[in-house]
Amino acid sequence: TNTNTNTNTNTSTGTNTSRRTAVLICPAQFCVPADYDTFLSALKEKLPNLSPSSRVAELPRTEWIKVARQLPTAEFFSANLNNAKTLQWYFDAMEQGLADIYAEEGEDVNVCIIGHSIGGWVARSYLGGLGQRSTAVYKSTIDRCTSLVTLGSPHKAPSTALVDQTRGLLRAVEESEECSSEGLAAKGISVTCVGSTAVKGNIFTTNVEEIVATTSYIPLVDDWKDILSSTGINGDGIIPRDLAFMEAPSKRIEVSTCSITGNNVRHAHVLPTPYNLWDPAAPSIPLPEDFCWYGSPGVLDQWIENI
């Protein structure tokens, strides 16, 4: 299941290519493990040798409330939030999932981390050491992780953007050499970034999807006036294309349409329900079946070989 040719020099026994691979999925904001049930099943169906221990990091939507602890701080207002402090709860969930994988598989397993949306750059932060973890699980993961795949994840925080939505978190990841694709490659971790170009932002439109895309793209990009140009700004409806990719040697996979249905590839397959705190693990609101995303059949095939 693993086409990565990198070899992790920290491995003490065996070779990476001789092990089977387990996947840990890092979910998007306010998404829950149940939202990825179909996606995980599709991975296991298409990759028969994928470890049955593969799973989604357990993050009920109530966990996201913990970010609010940082809202009244000086670091928040100055856009200098600390990854280790602000995202500890997310890193904890990742490590619990990884610990469960190691408990089931023992030492003889490779790990691929798949991050959807925010989950991609949070995983990058974790692997690059910004979580300041010294646990046995972290050390094992640096030894066992052979690939990181990000799906519609923003990897850049332009200094000229209208808003720093992550209040310095993503900027710190972007500026860290250890979190760069070269830094991760030095650890034996190949990086693949998957981003969609299907949805064009358009100010002069009555199309609801284009309006939503425009309002999402404008605060994030280096120069919002690009949306007025002849080429405009394309992306997956939430994340603009230019933010979805890391520098070389990471692999860049641009997708646009589903190879089966021909439908556009969009950012997500569900509408998160952050208000549903009385049932924090309940699935989000599913979007129509013809609403394709990175994990849909016919889109998954365009990048799955990088696990």
Side-chain angles (χ1 to χ4, degrees), residues 45 54 79 91 106 115 172 192 194 197 206 209 214 226 238 257-259 270:
E45 180 180 346
S54 299
F91 297 145
T192 301
V194 186
T197 62
T206 57
E209 185 171 40
T214 301
D226 287 345
I238 299 296
T257 58
C258 173
S259 63
V270 296

Side-chain angles (χ1 to χ4, degrees), residues 176-228:
S176 167
E177 291 185 11
E178 292 294 307
C179 296
S180 68
S181 60
E182 281 192 358
L184 294 175
K187 295 179 172 71
I189 303 170
S190 71
V191 179
T192 301
C193 301
V194 186
S196 175
T197 62
V199 186
K200 184 173 182 178
N202 188 356
I203 291 178
F204 308 106
T205 182
T206 57
N207 182 291
V208 174
E209 185 171 40
E210 291 181 350
I211 293 172
V212 171
T214 301
T215 58
S216 181
Y217 296 166
I218 284 180
L220 298 175
V221 295
D222 187 47
D223 186 353
W224 69 269
K225 293 188 290 296
D226 287 345
I227 208 162
L228 302 174

Side-chain angles (χ1 to χ4, degrees), residues 88-200:
Q88 177 182 350
W89 51 277
Y90 201 118
F91 297 145
D92 287 346
M94 288 181 65
E95 289 203 341
Q96 183 58 60
L98 291 163
D100 290 342
I101 289 173
Y102 302 145
E104 292 184 26
E105 289 288 344
E107 294 295 310
D108 197 28
V109 64
N110 287 339
V111 171
C112 169
I113 297 179
I114 300 177
H116 178 213
S117 193
I118 186 177
W121 67 259
V122 173
R124 181 182 163 195
S125 172
Y126 176 79
L127 293 172
L130 291 187
Q132 299 176 10
R133 317 293 280 195
S134 58
T135 62
V137 171
Y138 177 74
K139 293 174 183 177
S140 291
T141 301
I142 296 304
D143 187 48
R144 304 296 172 191
C145 185
T146 54
S147 55
L148 168 66
V149 180
T150 68
L151 309 176
S153 299
H155 287 295
K156 301 173 184 176
S159 59
T160 55
L162 294 178
V163 180
D164 183 350
Q165 293 188 341
T166 69
R167 309 310 295 159
L169 294 172
L170 179 53
R171 186 182 69 247
V173 175
E174 185 183 5
E175 294 176 350
S176 167
E177 291 185 11
E178 292 294 307
C179 296
S180 68
S181 60
E182 281 192 358
L184 294 175
K187 295 179 172 71
I189 303 170
S190 71
V191 179
T192 301
C193 301
V194 186
S196 175
T197 62
V199 186
K200 184 173 182 178

